[in-house]
Amino acid sequence: MEEKAIMVMSPATPPNVATRPEVFSVEAGGPKAMSQAHEHVPTSAHTIDHDSWEQVALLLVTGFNCGYILTFSNLMLVPLGWAWGMACLVFVGAFSLYANHLLAGFHVIDGHRFIRYRDLMGFVFGKKMYYITWVLQFLTLVLGNMGFILLGGRALKAINSEFSSSPLRLQSTLRKPAIKNMRKALYTQFSVGLAFYYGVSIVGYWAYGSSVSEYLPKELSGPMWVKVFINATAFIQSIISQHMFCAPIHEALDTKYSKLDESVHSIDNLKRRFILRALLFGANTFVTALFPFMGDFVNLFGSFTLFPLTFVFPSMIFMKVKAKTARKEEKAWHWANIIFFSLLAAITTAAAIKLIVRNARVYHFFADT
């Protein structure tokens, strides 16, 4: 499957912040801005400005609607019930769309084309924020990848339980206009994609109530082939999501270690990509199997990386870019977002640490759980 280096989910060398312009344009439309954008094309081993918004929309829908939706009935609705649970689902979905819609507007700033989140933050805030974003994003992607390994392992384990008593192209970016096309892809994910994302969660809770399992297929009854098919589908889809979430890491490694003066399909570059991906997924799989409660670490890093990356940083960028032109109510709104989601990140991080400390006393390395 093609790997897509998308800024919304998505480091070469940090930007030269000393030369960044003092005046920014969030939407940066028109022929002049687009001609300037051609002068500031980032160096990458992957193709830039090629994919249609339909391709990116398909990637978002198939990547985010992963096998984890089979766990959301238990994780999202059981603790809160129908009223609060549905209210929180609507709030999270709506605000995620808003934050990503806002971030999509920064694909082009004052003629500079951005395909990497860290480059954008470095351009606006300086080198320190470049590296902070680099660390936060890569932690999120690596831990998310481990989460998909856990999910795939769980699906294989469920398949094994059914048989236990039986004898039996590199990954391009959106074509221009990047802002408009990115938002079209986002609208598809937060309409068609979210219908599946929340639909499975709601149906699972409706069918099994508070007794629903943390992995929905465990609740299913029927012939063995049905259970095997569902778990096999979850396993295969987890592989797709793994590659999608690791796309920015692949882009960084390919750009650094590939021979950019040769074709991406040259023998040497193919060998390098194979070795890099094998090392990445091999190390991830080993660490994931080593810690039986790796899911707790996924929650931990997700708490203090996803909240800033998804909800805090876009508002920070807006405040920096639009500081002189934004209305008072806009500034108040974005400051409220920054403060609220920063506090939420701190609270959920503390809760995740508490859970890790508790489980560390119970589990041992490579435990079968």
Side-chain angles (χ1 to χ4, degrees):
M1 176 181 180
E2 290 187 349
E3 303 162 11
K4 315 294 181 184
I6 303 171
M7 186 189 71
V8 170
M9 287 305 303
S10 48
T13 57
N16 183 0
V17 296
T19 62
R20 74 175 186 263
E22 294 181 359
V23 181
F24 301 90
S25 173
V26 176
E27 296 299 332
K32 180 180 180 181
M34 295 315 297
S35 64
Q36 289 176 338
H38 284 293
E39 300 173 3
H40 302 282
V41 178
T43 302
S44 175
H46 293 194
T47 305
I48 298 174
D49 292 331
H50 178 75
D51 291 335
S52 66
W53 72 266
E54 291 93 345
Q55 287 176 283
V56 178
L58 178 64
L59 181 73
L60 291 174
V61 172
T62 57
F64 282 98
N65 285 285
C66 59
Y68 267 115
I69 63 176
L70 301 174
T71 71
F72 289 162
S73 299
N74 177 274
L75 295 178
M76 293 184 174
L77 293 174
V78 169
L80 299 174
W82 276 116
W84 281 107
M86 291 300 300
C88 286
L89 290 179
V90 172
F91 172 79
V92 170
F95 211 93
S96 295
L97 172 59
Y98 166 76
N100 281 285
H101 179 274
L102 183 66
L103 185 60
F106 302 120
H107 270 274
V108 180
I109 298 180
D110 200 37
H112 289 255
R113 174 75 163 96
F114 295 99
I115 64 169
R116 308 178 184 103
Y117 204 162
R118 63 189 178 279
D119 289 346
L120 171 61
M121 292 298 289
F123 182 82
V124 177
F125 294 103
K127 186 180 292 187
K128 182 180 291 186
M129 282 305 297
Y130 170 92
Y131 288 112
I132 290 175
T133 306
W134 191 97
V135 172
L136 292 179
Q137 188 179 30
F138 275 31
L139 279 175
T140 301
L141 297 172
V142 170
L143 269 294
N145 184 263
M146 291 180 176
F148 288 117
I149 293 173
L150 285 174
L151 175 65
R154 184 151 199 171
L156 288 179
K157 185 177 179 181
I159 293 174
N160 180 69
S161 67
E162 294 299 321
F163 290 100
S164 58
S165 59
S166 172
L168 293 178
R169 164 203 63 207
L170 291 178
Q171 243 257 328
S172 21
T173 62
L174 274 166
R175 65 176 61 146
K176 296 179 178 65
I179 294 173
K180 182 178 180 180
N181 284 334
M182 188 68 243
R183 285 177 171 169
K184 285 182 178 180
L186 285 172
Y187 298 152
T188 304
Q189 159 60 11
F190 283 90
S191 56
V192 177
L194 212 62
F196 291 98
Y197 203 75
Y198 283 176
V200 174
S201 305
I202 294 170
V203 169
Y205 186 65
W206 170 80
Y208 301 104
S210 59
S211 63
V212 67
S213 171
E214 73 281 2
Y215 184 59
L216 193 57
K218 287 177 61 176
E219 304 287 352
L220 301 178
S221 58
M224 180 179 66
W225 71 268
V226 173
K227 298 181 181 180
V228 171
F229 175 78
I230 291 174
N231 283 286
T233 302
F235 172 75
I236 294 172
Q237 206 284 330
S238 70
I239 297 176
I240 297 174
S241 295
Q242 277 188 51
H243 285 282
M244 192 205 78
F245 274 81
C246 273
I249 299 179
H250 292 327
E251 190 274 336
L253 293 174
D254 292 342
T255 300
K256 184 174 179 61
Y257 294 105
S258 295
K259 293 184 177 180
L260 301 184
D261 57 341
E262 295 184 7
S263 168
V264 295
H265 301 298
S266 68
I267 298 299
D268 197 29
N269 279 335
L270 286 173
K271 289 179 180 178
R272 290 168 183 252
R273 290 204 306 275
F274 176 81
I275 293 173
L276 289 170
R277 281 152 176 72
L279 289 174
L280 175 64
F281 286 106
N284 259 6
T285 302
F286 176 80
V287 174
T288 304
L290 179 65
F291 293 97
F293 51 100
M294 180 53 69
D296 296 346
F297 288 96
V298 174
N299 293 333
L300 170 64
F301 287 102
S303 298
F304 74 82
T305 60
L306 274 180
F307 279 114
L309 289 172
T310 304
F311 301 116
V312 179
F313 286 3
S315 287
M316 288 174 56
I317 298 172
F318 181 89
M319 293 296 293
K320 185 73 173 181
V321 172
K322 304 283 284 186
K324 296 182 179 180
T325 59
R327 301 188 302 271
K328 290 183 178 180
E329 56 269 26
E330 289 180 317
K331 293 181 179 180
W333 166 252
H334 287 284
W335 270 116
N337 290 339
I338 293 170
I339 295 172
F340 174 76
F341 286 106
S342 295
L343 290 174
L344 200 59
I347 294 171
T348 54
T349 298
I353 292 175
K354 182 179 179 180
L355 190 61
I356 289 175
V357 171
R358 188 191 70 181
N359 285 339
R361 301 171 182 171
V362 179
Y363 292 107
H364 56 82
F365 289 156
F366 298 107
D368 181 20
T369 182

